[in-house]
């Protein structure tokens, strides 16, 4: 690991992206490619490398820190494959897996493009793109070189002499920031917003609440992660907000309670999206957030409770108290049932958006006859369910020449 530019005491591999070192991102990529042994070239075993060792061993890999290139040879057998990742390389995992996953290859860039970005020259026309997958037998050639050679540079030239296939990196990856070399802390800071945007680009933003959550992550996510704020801390904030909303409903402020539950769902979505960004970028082999689905059900239970407390049915003489719980229970069961019936429908996603539902209940609680609105919503969802069922029962039309078959 080389020193970062302008920071002789700082190693480039330890520059933070999203609160985790570049080396940690590279570890996730190596594990995703099936590496069973991780080797880091460094003078000493620091606390940062100890943490990296724990992460590697948690994923089932062995971890080594070596001080010289020659110490690499005993660790690599001739039948092994050797993945070499350049110092400070930050690549989108799916791109690296696609480009490196099919055999020995050296990724390259045109020299006029690669050199200004910090990549190393191979020959008059090409520069290395910071990643290569080599046959293990090439490692023996390191023994013929002086001990002060950088092993990455040496292996790049050995691979060129061995005529390992070279594959040019698509220019689009550089233009979109999906493949870059981080050389100092300033570049790391500039890379973080784009890194978060890339990892949230595939988020299922199909309703107002999810759109707002994605916007918050893209705007504040880099600062939160860089400050070391982990997603579970934000999820804890969602729990506190939900409890406050339930408490407000208990004291009769159900409008404020619904609003707080809506915000709690939004905060939980932000935490879940940040957790997914971390898992995708680090190629986490842990189970992620197994309680997410349980949290959704608990939040629905809080909405149902506030609806029952807001209802005026218990005030009617002779009406059993438990009847007030029936309409909200039916309402939220219908919301979930319709999501299962036609998950691909665009408007169905709005039914799963508890920010929208919470806002609707807030307005209804303050401005309209609440019990009437609940019943109207139940009837509307029942009608929607019948329409969806009728649409599903429509016969498939076939053309005269297809033999009556339908795909």
């Amino acid at each position: 690991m080389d020193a970062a530019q302008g920071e002789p005491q700082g190693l480039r591999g330890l520059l933070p992206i999203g609160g985790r070192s570049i080396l940690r991102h590279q570890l996730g990529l190596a594990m995703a490619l099936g590496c069973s042994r991780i080797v880091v070239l460094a003078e000493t075993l620091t606390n940062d490398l100890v943490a990296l060792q724990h992460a590697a061993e948690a994923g089932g890999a062995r971890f080594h820190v070596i001080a010289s290139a020659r110490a690499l040879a005993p660790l690599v057998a001739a039948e092994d494959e050797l993945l070499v990742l350049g110092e400070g390389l930050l690549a989108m995992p799916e791109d690296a897996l696609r480009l490196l996953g099919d055999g020995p290859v050296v990724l390259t860039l045109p020299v006029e493009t690669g050199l200004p970005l910090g990549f190393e020259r191979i020959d008059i026309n090409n520069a290395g793109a910071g990643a290569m997958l080599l046959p293990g037998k090439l490692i023996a050639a390191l023994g013929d070189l002086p001990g002060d050679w950088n092993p990455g540079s040496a292996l790049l030239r050995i691979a060129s002499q061995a005529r390992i296939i070279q594959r040019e990196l698509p220019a689009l990856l550089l233009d979109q920031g999906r493949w870059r070399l981080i050389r100092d802390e300033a570049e790391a800071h500039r890379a973080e917003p784009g890194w978060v945007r890339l990892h949230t680009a595939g988020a299922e933003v199909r309703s107002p609440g999810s759109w707002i959550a994605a916007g918050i992550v893209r705007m504040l996510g880099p600062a939160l992660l860089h400050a070391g704020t982990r997603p579970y801390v934000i999820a804890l904030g969602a729990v506190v907000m939900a409890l406050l909303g339930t408490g407000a409903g208990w004291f009769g402020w159900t409008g404020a309670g619904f609003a707080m539950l809506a915000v709690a769902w939004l905060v939980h979505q932000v935490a879940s999206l940040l957790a997914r960004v971390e898992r995708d970028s680090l190629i986490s082999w842990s189970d992620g957030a197994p309680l997410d689905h349980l949290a959704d059900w608990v939040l629905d239970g809080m909405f149902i409770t506030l609806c029952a407390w807001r209802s005026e049915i218990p005030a009617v003489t002779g009406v059993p108290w438990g009847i007030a719980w029936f309409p909200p229970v039916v309402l939220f069961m219908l919301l979930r049932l319709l999501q299962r019936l036609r998950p691909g429908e665009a408007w169905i996603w709005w039914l799963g958006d508890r920010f929208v539902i919470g806002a609707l209940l807030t307005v209804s609680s303050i401005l309209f006859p609440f019990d009437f609105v609940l019943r109207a919503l139940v009837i509307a969802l029942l009608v929607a369910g019948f329409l969806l069922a009728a649409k599903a029962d429509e016969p498939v039309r076939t053309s005269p020449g297809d033999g009556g078959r339908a795909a």
Side-chain angles (χ1 to χ4, degrees):
M1 299 198 299
D2 298 328
Q5 290 184 5
E7 301 174 49
Q9 303 304 316
L11 296 175
R12 192 189 302 180
L14 298 179
L15 291 171
I17 296 292
R20 303 296 181 95
S21 69
I22 293 176
L23 206 56
R24 176 61 184 86
H25 291 277
Q26 292 184 346
L27 171 64
L29 177 58
M31 298 292 287
L33 279 166
C35 292
S36 59
R37 189 189 301 266
I38 307 297
V39 183
V40 177
L41 181 69
E43 294 182 357
T44 58
L45 182 64
T46 63
N47 290 336
D48 296 294
L49 293 180
V50 169
L52 192 73
Q53 177 181 1
H54 292 161
E57 291 175 349
R62 287 171 289 178
F63 187 86
H64 304 269
V65 175
I66 59 175
S68 66
R70 290 182 177 176
L72 181 62
L75 300 176
V76 183
E79 64 272 13
D80 288 340
E81 285 186 312
L82 179 65
L83 171 68
V84 183
L85 298 176
E87 193 69 32
L89 177 69
L90 182 67
M92 288 293 285
E94 59 267 29
D95 298 322
L97 292 173
R98 184 182 69 253
L99 293 168
L100 292 168
D102 58 352
V105 64
V106 175
L107 301 184
T108 66
L109 288 166
V111 69
E112 60 273 10
T113 301
L115 292 186
L117 296 176
F119 293 99
E120 187 174 355
R121 180 192 291 270
I122 299 176
D123 51 40
I124 192 172
N125 295 317
N126 299 302
M132 50 187 169
L133 188 64
L134 307 177
K137 61 185 181 181
L138 295 184
I139 203 71
L142 282 179
D144 300 330
L145 299 175
D148 57 351
W149 266 73
N150 177 285
S153 301
L155 287 170
L156 187 62
R157 280 147 184 79
I158 291 170
S160 178
Q161 294 171 3
R163 300 188 180 278
I164 299 297
I165 294 174
Q166 296 185 1
R167 179 177 300 146
E168 185 171 318
L169 193 75
L172 187 63
L173 299 185
L174 296 175
D175 296 339
Q176 294 179 345
R178 301 178 67 88
W179 195 285
R180 63 174 76 208
L181 199 65
I182 308 297
R183 292 170 287 181
D184 53 41
E185 191 169 354
E187 288 188 358
H189 277 293
R190 288 195 298 269
E192 279 184 316
W195 172 82
V196 171
R197 282 195 301 272
L198 287 171
H199 281 285
T200 56
E204 294 174 335
V205 182
R206 303 188 184 184
S207 64
S210 58
W211 181 84
I212 294 172
I216 292 173
V217 170
R218 289 165 187 166
M219 181 172 58
L220 301 179
L224 290 172
L225 294 174
H226 193 78
T229 306
R230 301 267 69 85
Y232 72 85
V233 177
I234 300 173
L236 184 61
V239 172
V240 173
M241 183 63 69
L243 292 175
L244 288 174
T246 307
W250 173 258
F251 287 106
W253 302 321
T254 50
F258 286 129
M260 290 180 183
L261 291 183
V263 173
W265 181 87
L266 190 65
V267 174
H268 180 259
Q269 291 299 112
V270 170
S272 297
L273 192 52
L274 275 176
R276 193 175 77 174
V277 167
E278 280 201 334
R279 288 196 299 271
D280 290 348
S281 61
L282 300 178
I283 315 291
S284 174
W285 41 88
S286 64
D287 292 333
L291 297 180
D292 275 357
H293 294 298
L294 178 61
D296 289 340
W297 282 97
V298 171
L299 189 63
D300 278 1
M302 291 179 173
F303 272 117
I304 291 170
T305 301
L306 261 63
C307 287
W309 289 345
R310 174 62 179 81
S311 174
E312 297 176 359
I313 292 178
V316 179
T317 305
V319 175
W321 172 82
I323 296 297
W325 295 78
F326 183 73
V329 168
V330 174
L331 173 65
F332 279 87
M333 289 181 67
L334 284 172
L335 289 174
R336 289 185 170 273
L337 178 61
L338 290 177
Q339 282 183 273
R340 288 179 175 273
L341 286 177
R342 297 300 290 269
E345 295 280 349
W347 65 271
I348 289 291
W349 280 84
W350 286 53
L351 301 183
D353 191 325
R354 293 302 181 260
F355 182 76
V356 171
I357 300 299
L360 178 61
L361 293 176
T362 300
V363 174
S364 302
S365 177
I366 297 173
L367 301 179
F368 302 109
F370 188 75
D371 290 307
F372 175 80
V373 171
L374 281 188
R375 285 153 179 76
L377 290 174
V378 168
I379 292 173
L381 291 177
L382 285 172
V383 171
F386 279 116
L387 292 176
L388 288 176
K391 185 177 179 181
D393 289 338
E394 289 180 359
V396 179
R397 296 182 179 180
T398 59
S399 59
D402 64 2
R405 295 182 179 177

